[in-house]
Amino acid sequence: MTHRITLIPGDGIGPEVTKAAQRCVEATGVAIEWEEAIAGSYALKATGELLPKSTLESIKKNKVALKGPIVTPIGKGFRSVNVGIRQALNLYACVRPAKSYPGVKSNYKDIDLVIIRENSEDLYAGIEFEEGLKETKELIQRIEVLSNKQIRPDSGVSIKPISGFASKRIVKFAFEYALKHNRKKVTAVHKANIMKFTDGLFLQSAREVARDYEGRVNFEETIVDNMSMQLVQKPHNYDLLVLPNLYGDIISDLCAGLIGGLGIAPGANIGDGIAVFEAVHGSAPKYSGLNKVNPTAMILSAVLMLDYLNEKKAALKLEDAVKRVIAEGIDVTYDFKANPNDPQAVGTQEMADAVIKKLTKV
Ligand code: NAD
């Protein structure tokens, strides 16, 4: 069967790493028809839009996309295209495995965690009020009346909505993922001691859902600050973490740090019957066009995609090829070398070539 996949190269280092991943997927022999679509700064130049409707339509039609990173300017300009795609397609679950590969420089060994982050609400809902605007002043006054608490008049305000519906949905997704992938424990991460009505609702929903899985998957709960320390001190005590949006974003980068950095951290954004696969890292603009960065995170995101497409054998084969290239430590990018200036480090496409060679040599 031929799979039709939307391919979004993104911007910055996106086109380089997606090209590397695309070539590796093709080398597995799985039949794929790619439909290229644009988003981000290239789309803005070509169409005047950051996220053209045709790109969203392509993902909706094909149901699966492989996406490169896209730049988001801090504080001004457009809201993140990445968040826009997740919201427009209702990709409510972000799945980020963090797994150690022998040969990667890291202070930790044998890490095998999965982070499942709620993708649709929380402080990422995009409900923000800019400092000084009339609406913001009105909102501040209204909040003061309703809550009897003072907010400084020169404040900006971001709203943190967390619903029982989305919390239950993500925790159920986490438990189902645990069952499917043979994970033994789900840890719900929160700050319910302080944010009683948002994180508190998330936690209450998690406890409710967990009851349905009693005897099949263990459940525990941990406060996010404690979780951060525990992950640094005893990461092996954890298996699968489920978190609201903002904590999920931060903790998944922390976990990427445990396994050797963003260069090897893959991810997926999943909704009901639709999924977009992308690396955890961003568009690293300073490396753009240099054929220098590590393609592993993007190739491992393609491994997750193959697994999702039920191409299990190809997924395992590709992951194994990546693992062997990293373990040998020869045809790898600068960030895998003991000395990042090692002249023996290869470029993005050359590392992909080495993976392809391993795939084709049985
Ligand atoms: P970044 O992940 O782009 O880069 C941070 C640093 O991590 C880089 O300077 C580099 O040293 C390292 N790095 C990242 N990817 C690497 C790779 N493949 N190989 C080797 N090293 C790698 O984070 P940033 O600089 O905070 O963000 C840059 C832009 O990307 C921002 O506009 C941000 O909003 C955006 N972003 C996009 C996504 C996405 O598209 N999903 C995700 C995160 C950030």
Side-chain angles (χ1 to χ4, degrees), residues 62-344:
N62 296 328
K63 309 280 187 216
V64 179
L66 185 63
K67 172 191 160 294
I70 294 170
V71 74
T72 306
I74 294 173
K76 57 177 189 248
F78 51 86
R79 203 169 276 293
S80 165
V81 176
N82 307 302
V83 176
I85 292 175
R86 291 169 204 160
Q87 287 179 346
L89 301 173
N90 200 14
L91 304 170
Y92 58 84
C94 178
V95 179
R96 292 178 168 175
K99 196 166 159 183
S100 299
Y101 289 98
V104 178
K105 282 181 288 173
S106 164
N107 295 330
Y108 300 87
K109 263 199 229 153
D110 303 324
I111 303 283
D112 187 8
L113 290 161
V114 177
I115 294 88
I116 296 189
R117 160 188 174 193
E118 206 289 324
N119 243 353
S120 71
E121 45 182 34
D122 193 355
L123 283 161
Y124 280 68
I127 310 168
E128 297 206 275
F129 295 86
E130 191 178 341
E131 183 264 320
L133 293 187
K134 187 169 147 276
E135 309 83 85
T136 314
K137 287 183 187 149
E138 279 172 19
L139 180 71
I140 289 174
Q141 281 163 9
R142 189 81 192 119
I143 291 173
E144 286 178 354
V145 170
L146 291 172
S147 70
N148 209 17
K149 297 233 163 75
Q150 293 294 309
I151 298 177
R152 290 189 183 93
D154 64 339
S155 297
V157 180
S158 299
I159 304 285
K160 171 178 165 126
I162 289 202
S163 67
F165 169 79
S167 300
K168 283 188 198 135
R169 181 174 64 176
I170 195 67
V171 178
K172 189 168 174 5
F173 180 97
F175 274 99
E176 289 298 322
Y177 186 98
L179 284 176
K180 204 167 161 201
H181 294 86
N182 204 21
R183 298 269 161 183
K184 305 289 178 232
K185 183 171 75 174
V186 169
T187 304
V189 185
H190 63 91
K191 188 79 185 171
N193 50 330
I194 304 295
M195 280 158 282
K196 297 190 189 306
F197 303 134
T198 47
D199 287 29
L201 182 56
F202 176 82
L203 180 59
Q204 183 193 320
S205 308
R207 287 175 181 163
E208 248 175 70
V209 172
R211 270 182 228 124
D212 296 338
Y213 295 87
E214 254 172 32
R216 293 187 288 164
V217 183
N218 295 323
F219 174 69
E220 66 177 23
E221 40 190 73
T222 303
I223 294 175
V224 65
D225 36 355
N226 181 25
M227 185 79 244
S228 310
M229 186 194 68
Q230 298 293 338
L231 281 170
V232 172
Q233 289 198 319
K234 304 173 197 161
H236 301 102
N237 286 358
Y238 299 92
D239 189 349
L240 186 152
L241 313 179
V242 61
L243 315 89
N245 209 336
L246 177 65
Y247 309 146
D249 193 13
I250 298 167
I251 293 286
S252 55
D253 265 35
L254 188 158
C255 291
L258 298 178
I259 56 160
L262 286 172
I264 53 165
N269 296 295
I270 301 178
D272 292 325
I274 185 161
V276 174
F277 296 83
E278 62 177 340
V280 174
H281 66 70
S283 55
K286 69 177 176 192
Y287 293 110
S288 176
L290 302 179
N291 186 39
K292 185 173 163 96
V293 294
N294 191 341
T296 304
M298 202 64 216
I299 300 173
L300 291 176
S301 303
V303 168
L304 298 180
M305 181 185 82
L306 289 169
D307 184 72
Y308 179 86
L309 292 170
N310 226 5
E311 299 286 358
K312 308 272 179 204
K313 253 195 197 160
L316 284 172
K317 231 171 84 174
L318 180 52
E319 187 188 8
D320 185 60
V322 172
K323 209 193 253 175
R324 285 190 287 148
V325 170
I326 295 173
E328 282 175 9
I330 301 166
D331 294 315
V332 293
T333 46
Y334 72 98
D335 52 322
F336 278 136
K337 297 285 187 186
N339 167 12
N341 297 318
D342 187 335
Q344 306 291 324

Side-chain angles (χ1 to χ4, degrees), residues 24-91:
C24 289
V25 169
E26 281 171 356
T28 64
V30 171
I32 293 195
E33 203 179 301
W34 303 95
E35 186 172 284
E36 198 163 318
I38 47 174
S41 52
Y42 297 127
L44 186 65
K45 253 186 229 151
T47 68
E49 281 181 288
L50 281 159
L51 181 52
K53 220 168 149 202
S54 56
T55 297
L56 287 175
E57 289 308 319
S58 169
I59 308 173
K60 275 187 198 159
K61 177 177 54 123
N62 296 328
K63 309 280 187 216
V64 179
L66 185 63
K67 172 191 160 294
I70 294 170
V71 74
T72 306
I74 294 173
K76 57 177 189 248
F78 51 86
R79 203 169 276 293
S80 165
V81 176
N82 307 302
V83 176
I85 292 175
R86 291 169 204 160
Q87 287 179 346
L89 301 173
N90 200 14
L91 304 170

